Amino acid sequence: MIFALSSGLPPSGVAVLRLSGAGVFDVARRLTGRRSLPPARCAMLRSIHRQSDHQVLDEALLLIFPGPHSFTGEDTVELHTHGSPAVVAAVQQELLALGLKPAEPGEFTRRAFLNGRIDLTQAEALADLVAAETEAQRDQARANAGGRLRHLAEGWREAILALRAEAEADLDFADESDVSVGDTTAPIAQLAAAIRAALATAPVAERVRSGLTIAVTGPPNAGKSSLVNALASRDVAIVTAIPGTTRDVLEVHLDLGGVPATLLDTAGLRESDDPVEQEGIRRARARAASADLVLALAGGEGLRVVNKVDLTGEAPGVRGGTAFVSALTGAGLEDLRAWLVAWARRQVPRGEPALVTTARQAHLLDETARFLEEAAAQPESLLRAESLRLAAASLGRLTGAIGAEEVLGAIFGRFCIGK
Ligand code: GDP
């Protein structure tokens, strides 16, 4: 049995403690001091008792989710307690005393996978959904969490296995000229094309997942840091301001109309004797150099930005490929922001969320398509059947039907505790 605080860090209005595993219903009976539990999936108010001294720890909502129709596939209990640090700590202590173990990151989802509730593509999408900071990220993650890629992949795999059976039948009847087995070349090529079409969505998905990068460049004192700060602080939807790879890189995350973007100011980069810091600086420079957009405060590629219009008297706004702003007074920043939102939306076209969202998925689908293309080009039934077998195996690894053990750590390690 495992448990975790699935809601955020206390204090919060309500804290959700999730318990999963065989025996959690008995734990719920002991916590509440009652034989009877609420009906499945119905919340009821209960007192939570400490076993050792019978003290009431809190009044909480209790829900039970009998397996296999729960998220993890196991018997699951949810306790919605008051979200104070003291209540949460006391209930957690009691759960430990009752023999439950604190869940590892992603352990609930891992159990859901191991119990066949979800496949690996759904697990990956759930990790993205929990981490989603912008609308585009949420839409993309939600689509695959629902099993969109899984169902397609399972359908493709069945089709490939059927084609393989045909290729093998062709072998068996090779000597009997009166038995004709249909030509599988066209359907195999069609499957390869369908998989290639899904793969074409991967670059957009990657942009949505990791966000666009915008580097702010220019000579010292041009106002780079001021501009980054001004854009960040005026951005009501700012998501996080995290320290960059080195302490001298100012890096802020922006929500550009639903598209995530990272604004980089590498102005403070200086030489260093420390090899670790040198490596950080090298990476920061490389990142800025490969940015999707450069805001150039002097010359350069990208969008030219003329700062300090409060001093020069130039009219603020974006015109002719140049943004005239004042990082100090904020003049022109709304126009620059609108320009950035329009640019970001062009990089991430709206419409159907991408199907293929992780490098792992893209790699395995590319492999599948290549095996299918090999199969289509292969006149020998024996070799064709073998290529089809390999294609089906790659799809099996995509969903986790085959060889999941190797990737479980990498996938579930990304989760937070409680999911
Ligand atoms: P960086 O070296 O390019 O990062 O430049 P800073 O952001 O540190 O700015 C250099 C100096 O210019 C600071 O004293 C800022 O206060 C000033 N500055 C930045 N933007 C503006 C602006 O729009 N108008 C005015 N008058 N001063 C600014």
Side-chain angles (χ1 to χ4, degrees), residues 96-374:
L96 286 171
L98 286 167
L100 282 90
K101 291 201 167 49
E104 303 283 330
E107 196 169 354
F108 291 91
T109 316
R110 182 193 278 256
R111 290 185 176 202
F113 168 71
L114 292 174
N115 290 322
R117 301 288 292 162
I118 57 171
D119 82 331
L120 287 184
T121 67
Q122 288 174 291
E124 286 171 314
L126 282 171
D128 284 346
L129 188 57
V130 172
E133 290 184 330
T134 73
E135 218 168 292
Q137 289 177 321
R138 188 196 61 210
D139 282 349
Q140 180 166 299
R142 220 169 44 83
N144 273 0
R148 203 176 43 143
L149 180 57
R150 173 193 185 167
H151 293 130
L152 270 173
E154 286 174 351
W156 289 331
R157 188 156 179 243
E158 272 170 37
I160 293 170
L161 291 174
L163 289 165
R164 181 184 162 208
E166 265 188 66
E168 281 173 349
D170 199 27
L171 264 176
D172 295 343
F173 296 118
D175 300 336
E176 300 169 37
S177 51
D178 53 338
V179 179
S180 99
V181 176
D183 185 7
T184 53
T185 308
I188 293 173
Q190 273 164 17
L191 267 177
I195 291 172
R196 290 263 175 239
L199 263 174
T201 64
V204 169
E206 184 49 32
R207 251 173 267 154
V208 169
R209 278 183 98 226
S210 48
L212 300 163
T213 316
I214 304 171
V216 181
T217 64
N221 281 327
K224 297 181 293 296
S225 305
S226 305
L227 183 64
V228 169
N229 280 317
L231 280 169
S233 59
R234 292 176 64 86
D235 182 357
V236 286
I238 180 168
V239 189
T240 40
I242 59 162
T245 34
T246 77
R247 63 175 170 275
D248 299 317
V249 182
L250 177 60
E251 173 175 326
V252 296
H253 290 193
L254 300 179
D255 181 337
L256 293 177
V259 180
T262 304
L263 205 51
L264 292 178
D265 166 21
T266 53
L269 283 186
R270 52 179 168 71
E271 296 312 319
S272 165
D273 295 333
D274 176 6
V276 176
E277 212 164 296
Q278 275 175 354
E279 177 59 16
I281 292 167
R282 193 192 62 73
R283 286 193 196 168
R285 287 225 170 97
R287 221 167 140 224
S290 64
D292 298 296
L293 175 71
V294 174
L295 293 184
L297 278 109
E301 306 258 295
L303 180 69
R304 210 161 78 87
V305 179
V306 174
N307 188 31
K308 310 194 187 184
V309 295
D310 56 306
L311 296 179
T312 63
E314 282 161 294
V318 182
R319 51 187 183 273
T322 302
F324 296 87
V325 300
S326 167
L328 193 70
T329 67
L333 285 183
E334 276 314 308
D335 287 355
L336 173 55
R337 214 191 119 70
W339 189 94
L340 288 173
V341 167
W343 166 80
R345 291 216 167 122
R346 282 200 301 277
Q347 311 305 307
V348 178
R350 291 255 153 157
E352 273 291 287
L355 254 178
V356 180
T357 57
T358 69
R360 189 190 74 87
Q361 294 168 3
H363 168 73
L364 288 169
L365 283 174
D366 180 61
E367 203 174 82
T368 309
R370 270 189 294 116
F371 286 133
L372 286 175
E373 284 150 5
E374 266 173 41

